[in-house]
Structure formats: structure tokens, C-alpha cells
Amino acid sequence: MRVAVFSTFSYDQEFLDQYNTGHELLYFPQPLTSQNVILTKGFEALCLFVNDKADREVLVALKANGVRLILLRCAGFNNVDVEAAAEMGIKILRVPAYSPEAVAEHAIAMILTLNRKTHKAYNRIREGNFSLEKLMGFNLHGCKVGLIGTGNIGKAFYKIMKGFGCEILAYDPFPDQVLTQQGLIYGSLEDVLRDAEIVSLHCPLLPETSHMINRETLKLFRRGAMLINTSRGGLIATADVIAALKSGRLGYLGLDVYEQESELFFHDLSGDVLQDDLIARLISFPNVLITSHQGFFTREAMQQIAETTFSNADAFILGSVLHNEVKP
Ligand code: NAD
């Protein structure tokens, strides 16, 4: 099958080439948009990532160009209009789970960094500054952690935080019976936000979760609480979070995702003037840590993404059951 792979970097090409099961892959470094959809002419399938945009306008053009399949090399599918794709007869297949531990471990790396300020200590020591002033952290042992979303990544996060000796309270509209039997306590979203010293978001971006962290819900947070988002930027109303950081309501913020990330993340913009004033303000806070959507980025996850992407493509060609299909 001829597959146009968008948003490709060297690491994508390395793993896709290694695990290719015989497809003809053409790599495009740029993300798919309505402006460059012409590039898809003559391809039966596309392989897309988190910031490729397949909205209705793009999907209409894809259908006209003969595209029949979108292989998402990610779990989230908020960047694809699934209903429009169904109308166009374009199948969407995704990688529902790839090393959930990779993302959970990254969330914990952010918690540890923000708390114990190892990034600041690293820079200080390199400049011969061995002072401990302003580096004080807190014990994770006994700390109250709020877990929003207890799917694959939330479960992995729960196991690790339990190992640290944290007290965990979770919110998920579909509580997990196995976790409940293991002792996890569920509460309402409001209870979790009120109780926790650290809140970590592990739910998908849906119309009902869009801006779930906003001016109103931030009022529920404990003063000085830590918020970690490794899920999707749109879960957070960024301007409201900036106000909460300024007032001290939020004491720490760790973001691996950002609502306007498609203009920024994955690119080297070090020679450019930053046009996004919200992220510029976020970067200026001493208690904010931002990473560029790298939660998934481990060797194990890249291998699983490539393997599942090709098994999805093969199932489509063979007319087998499409286990990883995204339907409206
Ligand atoms: P999952 O589908 O296994 O779990 C999602 C959980 O969220 C489910 O248990 C679901 O019931 C719950 N949920 C649904 N609506 C909710 C709501 N309103 N409030 C709270 N919980 C709700 O997904 P996952 O594999 O655990 O991934 C979670 C999210 O992580 C994905 O949606 C994706 O956006 C993000 N992600 C980020 C990276 C990264 O690199 N940073 C990588 C993979 C996934």
C-alpha cells in the first residue's frame, strides 16, 4: 500500500523503516493541513500524528484524492473529525496503547523535577553555585495525589505513585473495578481537585473534558497545589492557569502538552521570535516546567507504535477485523 507519512522526524523514519511489513512509505516532514492536502493525491493511506489536522475540509479533499485509510500513530484522535471520516468512507485506525508506562513515567519525572528542582540544581552546580537556597521540596511519601482518568496511562501512574507511598484519590466517569479492589478510592472531580496536593490529568480530550481545568475548577484547588498535564493541551484553559499561578493558587505546573502546541512543539524555533504570548508567559514562571509532547518518547513506545501501525495497515488490506478502528 502507498502510504504518505506526515509530521515525520528522523526517529519516526528510523522505527517505521525498521518495522515496515512491505508498504511503500513516502515521508513528509510537515504536518498535514488544508493547505498541503494536495500532497496526498495518489496515496491509498496516510499515517498521521497528534498535530496533523484531519478536519472535515481536509477529509473532503482526502476522499477526492482517493485516500481510504488514516493510520494514526498515536492513541488520541481529537485531531480527526471521526464523523466526517465515516461519511467519506475513510477508515481511521489508531494505536490505542503503546507503553502507557512511558507517559506515566514522564508525568512522574515532571513531578520530581518540579518538586526537588533538580533542573535548577544542575544549572547552579555548573556555575559553581552550591547553595541550597530556594531548592526545598516536599516528601512524596504520604502526599495526596489526584488522578483524573484511570485508563491505561492512569493505571500505570497509579501503580508508581502507590510505590512512592502516596495517598491517591481518583476521578473517572467509568471507575475501574480491578483498581477499586486494589484499594483505589474514587470520588467526584470536585472532591479530587479539593483534596489533592498534586493533580495529574490522564483523560482524553473530548467536548465534555475541554477546558475542564478553568477559572471555576481552579478555585477548588488547594493553595499551592501542583498540576500535571501529559494528556492533551485542550484540557486546560491556559489563560486561567496563568492567573492561578500569578495568584499562588497553583504552586507548580508541569505541561507536556499545550493547547496551541501544533505551532511550536517538535520544531527548533530557537532562532525565531516567539509569537505565542501565553507560552512566553508560562516559560517565565520559575515553578513551571514545559516539555514538548515527549511523554510517549521511549524506544519501547516507538517500537510498539510502528508495529501496531503496520498490523493495522495489514488488517485493512486483508479485510480482517479492525480491532483498532475509531468509529463515531
Ligand atoms: P485510555 O482511553 O486508556 O483512558 C482514558 C480514561 O479517561 C478512561 O478510563 C476514561 O473512562 C477516562 N475518562 C473519560 N472521560 C473522562 C472524564 N470526563 N473525566 C475523567 N476521566 C475520563 O487512554 P490512555 O491511554 O490512558 O491515555 C490518556 C490520554 O493520554 C490520551 O487521551 C492522550 O490524549 C494522552 N496521551 C499523551 C501522550 C504523550 O506523549 N504525552 C501519549 C499517549 C497518550
Side-chain angles (χ1 to χ4, degrees):
M1 189 160 52
R2 287 196 83 217
V3 186
V5 187
F6 281 85
S7 298
T8 321
F9 291 91
S10 62
Y11 42 86
D12 298 300
Q13 194 164 342
E14 179 192 337
F15 280 85
L16 290 172
D17 283 345
Q18 192 177 343
Y19 294 95
N20 189 355
T21 49
H23 302 278
E24 189 189 333
L25 308 181
L26 202 80
Y27 293 106
F28 295 100
Q30 63 270 46
L32 176 68
T33 64
S34 54
Q35 278 85 51
N36 64 18
V37 72
I38 183 89
L39 294 171
T40 65
K41 219 173 173 121
F43 287 93
E44 216 177 323
L46 305 186
C47 182
L48 305 183
F49 197 50
V50 292
N51 291 327
D52 292 305
K53 205 164 157 200
D55 57 14
R56 182 173 285 276
E57 184 190 355
V58 168
L59 286 158
V60 168
L62 292 181
K63 186 183 179 195
N65 288 351
V67 174
R68 296 195 298 135
L69 173 67
I70 291 179
L71 297 161
L72 290 174
R73 51 183 199 280
C74 52
F77 47 87
N78 54 285
N79 50 333
V80 180
D81 185 333
V82 179
E83 291 198 354
E87 284 171 35
M88 307 296 149
I90 298 174
K91 293 265 184 222
I92 314 288
L93 302 178
R94 65 174 183 141
V95 183
Y98 48 91
S99 188
E101 291 78 15
V103 184
E105 287 171 14
H106 190 73
I108 286 141
M110 298 194 101
I111 292 172
L112 288 169
T113 305
L114 281 166
N115 174 12
R116 304 305 295 267
K117 304 170 183 66
T118 42
H119 55 319
K120 294 187 182 183
Y122 175 82
N123 284 327
R124 275 191 194 184
I125 300 277
R126 285 165 69 89
E127 291 186 3
N129 176 355
F130 296 87
S131 153
L132 295 185
E133 291 293 345
K134 299 195 170 74
L135 294 185
M136 194 185 297
F138 58 87
N139 280 9
L140 282 183
H141 187 89
C143 178
K144 292 190 170 185
V145 175
L147 168 54
I148 312 293
T150 54
N152 292 309
I153 297 169
K155 280 192 191 81
F157 179 87
Y158 170 64
K159 273 193 213 150
I160 302 170
M161 293 316 269
K162 232 173 100 170
F164 274 107
C166 298
E167 270 181 50
I168 300 142
L169 183 65
Y171 167 68
D172 192 308
F174 307 99
D176 185 287
Q177 297 310 317
V178 177
L179 293 182
T180 311
Q181 280 159 16
Q182 287 172 6
L184 176 63
I185 296 171
Y186 282 91
S188 66
L189 178 64
E190 290 71 22
D191 287 345
V192 173
L193 299 184
R194 253 188 224 112
D195 192 58
E197 293 160 273
I198 300 173
V199 173
S200 196
L201 306 179
H202 298 288
C203 56
L205 178 60
L206 302 167
E208 59 271 28
T209 58
S210 173
H211 288 188
M212 73 191 297
I213 304 298
N214 57 44
R215 201 156 71 100
E216 291 310 312
T217 51
L218 280 160
K219 286 182 190 157
L220 301 171
F221 277 64
R222 280 189 186 211
R223 199 166 174 76
M226 183 187 293
L227 174 63
I228 303 290
N229 187 9
T230 56
S231 277
R232 283 292 180 267
L235 296 176
I236 288 181
T238 310
D240 295 349
V241 156
I242 289 174
L245 284 161
K246 284 168 77 176
S247 73
R249 167 69 57 188
L250 271 187
Y252 312 81
L253 175 67
L255 297 181
D256 186 47
V257 286
Y258 170 61
E259 194 164 16
Q260 271 73 43
E261 69 178 51
S262 59
E263 303 293 315
L264 305 164
F265 284 13
F266 309 131
H267 304 292
D268 179 359
L269 304 177
S270 52
D272 299 355
V273 172
L274 206 48
Q275 296 298 323
D276 184 324
D277 291 346
L278 287 181
I279 201 149
R281 183 69 180 96
L282 283 173
I283 291 168
S284 76
F285 287 102
N287 49 354
V288 172
L289 177 67
I290 301 173
T291 53
S292 187
H293 207 137
Q294 71 177 78
F296 73 100
F297 200 44
T298 66
R299 276 193 299 277
E300 293 77 3
M302 290 300 285
Q303 178 182 337
Q304 283 173 19
I305 289 170
E307 285 178 339
T308 308
T309 299
F310 290 118
S311 81
N312 284 343
D314 295 343
F316 176 81
I317 290 176
L318 295 170
S320 317
V321 181
L322 300 174
H323 294 292
N324 296 328
E325 184 172 0
V326 183
K327 291 182 186 166

